[in-house]
Amino acid sequence: MKFKFRSIVIATFFTVHLSAQEPTCYHYDQGTTREKNIKPYDLVLEVRLKEKEGKVEGKANYKFVNLRKEIDSFFFDAIKFNVNSIIINKESVKFRTDSAGITVFLPKSRPDTNSMVIDYSCHPLRGMYFLNWNNPNTKAYRQIWTQGQGIDNRHYIPGIDDVANLLRMTTKVTFNDQYPVVSNGNLVSTVQNADKTKTWTYKLDHPHALYLTMIAAGDYKFKNQKSKGGITLEQYYYHDKPEYFEPTYQHSEVMMDWFEDEIKVRYPWGKIYRNVPTQDFLYGAMENTSSTIFADYMHQDWRGQQERGYLAVNAHELAHQWFGDLITERSGPHHWLHESFASHYSKKFLQYLKGDDMFDWIRKGDLEASFNAGKSNSLPVAHTAAGSSRHYPKGSFVLDMLRNELGNDHYRKSIAYYLKRFYHQNVETSDLVASIYEATGRNVKWFFDQWVRRGGEPVISFNYTIQGKNLIATTKQIQNLDATVGNFRLPMTLSIYYKNGTGQHTKTELKNTNDTFIIPLNQNAVVTFVLLDENMEFLRKVSYDYDTKVLLEIAENSNKTFGRLEAIEKLRATAWTEKNKTFLNVYHKEKSALIRNEIIEQVAKSDSDEIAKDLLIHGFTDQHVQVRRNTIKSVHFKDETLKSLLIDRLKDSSYVNVEYAVIKLIELYPNEKTLWLKSIEGQNGIMNNLNYLYHSTIFGDSSMKEQHAASLDKLKFLASESNEFRSRVPAITFLMEKEVMDLDIAKSLIQGALYFHPSIKGNSIEYLKKIKEKQPQIFEQAIKEYPFAEPNHTLDKLNILLSK
């Protein structure tokens, strides 16, 4: 369909003014910048890691300047440290410790610039994690890794653990010489010590925030990749899984080159960047300066990468090397300047690599996450408590809109100016607004007030009528209003489709509760439908008073992906016989996997007719993994052709699709359960999904009792500390539901109850309480035999947890 642009003719018939629609206040935010008496600007951190004790022995060698001459002391964050001495300018000084930190009393005579050495030891409860060093029977990897964000590095580094304190760092780590050690910056030296340890020295030449400090050590190997721009990518992998390297780190060199070209600022941390997988990491990944740590459930083979791939997260964390590490928020309300930008650039890289269909899929998820967050509250993106859905997907979509508002060239120019202007500094949202103005002359304060500093998302009711040669379009903003949510300024495009296959676009701008637009029509041809913001360039929802016939027309003839998609979504409640033929036509010509997926989802509630069957047949062999998955889930009637195709999915490239195929075959053809289970016997899958499905199904089936003992042993192994949390949690939950209470599981649960990972900890405590109540003898025996060997794993601590 051909379209022509016309200039807009607008008449605003009436405007409703309400005080709530012109918000003059913002949500109160407690996020503030911390006051300080001194400014540390250089740190040489020397730590010796005692893996079996879970202990850190350290010296923190600081240089600092006085900020207030009249102050006689200062406070450093340091959780439960044992401090041996503190020396300032070669003079021993007094200090006081408590559970939160160290109060250091300054010498009366001191220059503006000072040196200080804190000699200490600690057993970190957070911030640094020692995994699997004391159990010789575990099959899990032996590791040490850190996670400092937001304020957890204070558990092993004494300092001002605050985002607004930037300092240069050198890290010297002494550790068991059998394992490599990774930290931030350039590896300066490695020294072999006489006691079978090595000392690894890493140096950062530019300042960063203390929370971005990292250390990792364990059963690793690494390979180097090289970008065209000359950056070495030092990529770590598990020593026994070299086949995971290429799938995990695919496109990394291209990624680095793309970021440098897109952002127009060179990678800011020298010539080295690293990625390190870790077991039971508390989050998806963490963008420590020059050296990212990520959860090893994304360290997978080629099949596993379809489900838990590292590609998008890799791009997200690499973006943080600029947004978060190079420029760092001054305080909590500006956290979006990290996460929204990282999410946006990850999405844009995937668009570059995979195309617009991938980009649209992510944008759709961004929109849904934003509106779901709005169901709870109307906090703005720039708020400490905005939450992940706003800091990540909503903020990312906001940046899509900012890029559209400025134009791609001006957007990129603004971002390059912003990064260079605040190179290695703290920033606030106003710094970005000012940078855009300086780079382009555009005052976008209104945009940031609307989308970043205020809350809510626009919901628009749209209608039109034809009067002579004019189209009269009316809009009403119907979102819930409060003190900070009002009407939105929305420069949207209105698309008119004619029956003869032509059409026109007209620029409009919504501003008020009610707006009316008079648009001269290009010709006398019949208008078939009109769409507002047809390609979802804005974070919004639009409702139309269209009947089924018009929605089906839109589904077939809209030129934009989201025009077709939103029409098909609005047909979810429509009877299958009214839409099935159109769906079939759309599916067979549709290039967007997002739309094919939506059609297949609706087949799940279809009649059992030939059209439903045809769609399912084609869905089974769709090239997109999610479409095949939803096809498997949408089969709801027996048919020999579909059964054959379901059986084919038992060899799907996706481990999760194989899992769903087995579940669906058992549901539809339970008499052949043994056959379906046989197809996955001995397969682990991804995070043991097939292993768990096989044994939990057998153990849950009373007709397969002869196999129960073997399957119970497998399930207990999956629940044990030999596995990462995504394998353990389903097994623990299943065994708790089945009330399996024996000595082996009780011991695993003791370890789980004392473990740091919350997903394992909560279930283990609950389950252990049940065993203690119902099988006290087993509980007491487990307590007697449990070694309590890991650091901080004590009987007293366990009793406290079980008494809550």
Side-chain angles (χ1 to χ4, degrees), residues 82-298:
N82 176 32
V83 179
N84 301 316
S85 65
I86 299 179
I87 297 173
I88 296 180
N89 302 329
K90 299 183 179 180
E91 176 185 344
S92 182
V93 298
K94 293 182 179 179
F95 60 89
R96 182 177 65 244
T97 62
D98 58 33
S99 60
I102 310 165
T103 301
V104 181
F105 297 96
L106 291 161
K108 291 183 178 180
S109 176
R110 60 186 184 276
D112 290 335
T113 302
N114 303 269
S115 62
M116 173 175 61
V117 181
I118 303 175
D119 188 316
Y120 68 96
S121 64
C122 59
H123 291 82
L125 293 175
R126 302 181 67 175
M128 180 177 284
Y129 301 88
F130 297 78
L131 275 65
N132 308 310
W133 295 99
N134 291 307
N135 184 350
N137 298 318
T138 185
K139 297 185 182 298
Y141 296 105
R142 290 175 171 81
Q143 297 176 350
I144 298 173
W145 49 262
T146 59
Q147 167 52 26
Q149 193 178 34
I151 54 172
D152 281 357
N153 273 348
R154 64 184 63 184
H155 287 264
Y156 77 98
I157 305 174
I160 299 177
D161 195 6
D162 183 80
V163 291
N165 190 72
L166 308 181
L167 72 170
R168 292 191 304 271
M169 279 194 70
T170 299
T171 309
K172 298 182 177 182
V173 184
T174 299
F175 186 59
N176 188 323
D177 63 7
Q178 296 181 51
Y179 304 95
V181 171
V182 184
S183 191
N184 309 90
N186 295 315
L187 178 60
V188 176
S189 66
T190 306
V191 177
Q192 179 67 52
N193 303 313
D195 60 352
K196 295 185 179 180
T197 65
K198 284 183 180 178
T199 300
W200 307 68
T201 301
Y202 288 86
K203 185 177 182 181
L204 274 175
D205 293 326
H206 299 287
H208 78 154
L210 192 65
Y211 81 91
L212 295 167
T213 304
M214 66 80 68
I215 296 171
D219 296 318
Y220 295 113
K221 288 186 176 180
F222 73 87
K223 294 180 184 178
N224 286 337
Q225 300 171 320
K226 197 96 168 183
S227 73
K228 289 181 180 179
I231 308 300
T232 297
L233 307 173
E234 191 174 284
Q235 313 285 36
Y236 285 76
Y237 62 95
Y238 287 149
H239 68 97
D240 59 341
K241 293 180 178 176
E243 70 277 11
Y244 283 19
F245 180 87
E246 286 190 21
T248 301
Y249 299 119
Q250 58 182 302
H251 307 299
S252 290
E253 307 101 309
V254 174
M255 187 185 299
M256 178 64 78
D257 290 325
W258 181 87
F259 270 91
E260 290 192 322
D261 178 68
E262 166 66 24
I263 296 173
K264 302 297 183 185
V265 175
R266 290 299 308 273
Y267 171 72
W269 305 104
K271 295 289 185 180
I272 189 74
Y273 179 64
R274 305 178 184 87
N275 282 289
V276 186
T278 60
Q279 182 176 317
D280 291 339
F281 194 62
L282 292 163
Y283 309 100
M286 178 60 205
E287 67 278 8
N288 306 293
T289 308
S290 78
S291 300
T292 288
I293 286 176
F294 68 96
D296 65 3
Y297 59 76
M298 291 178 283

Side-chain angles (χ1 to χ4, degrees), residues 536-549:
M536 203 177 79
E537 293 182 354
F538 289 86
L539 186 68
R540 87 300 179 272
K541 289 192 175 180
V542 181
S543 66
Y544 301 97
D545 188 21
Y546 288 155
D547 60 21
T548 298
K549 181 180 178 181

Side-chain angles (χ1 to χ4, degrees), residues 617-632:
I617 287 171
H618 285 87
F620 272 122
T621 56
D622 197 284
Q623 63 183 357
H624 197 285
V625 64
Q626 188 65 47
V627 178
R628 298 198 305 276
R629 180 168 310 156
N630 273 325
T631 303
I632 295 166

Side-chain angles (χ1 to χ4, degrees), residues 301-321:
D301 61 16
W302 285 110
R303 292 180 71 184
Q305 285 295 310
Q306 294 183 83
E307 312 305 334
R308 291 287 177 179
Y310 186 51
L311 180 62
V313 177
N314 192 357
H316 180 101
E317 305 308 327
L318 180 57
H320 272 308
Q321 299 303 311

Side-chain angles (χ1 to χ4, degrees), residues 323-486:
F323 302 97
D325 298 5
L326 170 59
I327 55 100
T328 306
E329 67 185 84
R330 190 174 300 280
S331 58
H334 311 287
H335 187 58
W336 81 279
L337 294 171
H338 297 193
E339 300 302 347
S340 299
F341 274 88
S343 299
H344 173 75
Y345 280 102
S346 173
K347 178 171 58 180
K348 293 298 289 184
F349 174 71
L350 290 174
Q351 181 185 24
Y352 164 79
L353 193 70
K354 304 282 189 179
D356 289 343
D357 197 37
M358 172 67 78
F359 185 66
D360 287 342
W361 198 292
I362 301 171
R363 279 206 300 150
K364 174 66 172 174
D366 290 348
L367 181 138
E368 295 300 335
S370 303
F371 274 88
N372 285 336
K375 294 176 182 178
S376 300
N377 57 59
S378 59
L379 288 174
V381 170
H383 195 284
T384 305
S388 295
S389 291
R390 295 193 179 97
H391 285 153
Y392 291 75
K394 182 175 180 179
S396 173
F397 204 118
V398 167
L399 292 175
D400 295 345
M401 294 188 291
L402 179 62
R403 191 185 285 258
N404 290 337
E405 173 68 23
L406 294 174
N408 193 56
D409 290 343
H410 277 180
Y411 173 85
R412 294 173 71 190
K413 182 180 179 182
S414 299
I415 298 306
Y417 181 92
Y418 165 63
L419 291 173
K420 292 173 182 176
R421 169 66 180 83
F422 297 99
Y423 208 69
H424 296 296
Q425 296 181 50
N426 288 111
V427 291
E428 297 182 354
T429 302
S430 59
D431 296 321
L432 176 58
V433 178
S435 295
I436 293 170
Y437 179 76
E438 293 298 326
T440 69
R442 293 284 305 276
N443 184 346
V444 290
K445 183 179 180 297
W446 72 269
F447 181 94
F448 281 80
D449 282 348
Q450 174 171 287
W451 291 111
V452 177
R453 296 189 177 101
R454 292 173 180 161
E457 297 80 29
V459 181
I460 303 155
S461 174
F462 175 84
N463 289 284
Y464 76 90
T465 60
I466 305 296
Q467 295 183 10
K469 295 182 179 181
N470 294 323
L471 183 142
I472 313 299
T474 60
T475 63
K476 183 176 183 179
Q477 297 195 36
I478 57 175
Q479 62 271 8
N480 292 328
L481 305 178
D482 63 26
T484 66
V485 181

Side-chain angles (χ1 to χ4, degrees), residues 42-46 59-63 115-118:
D42 189 90
L43 168 61
V44 177
L45 178 68
E46 303 177 54
K59 286 186 179 180
N61 303 272
Y62 275 102
K63 292 180 181 178
S115 62
M116 173 175 61
V117 181
I118 303 175

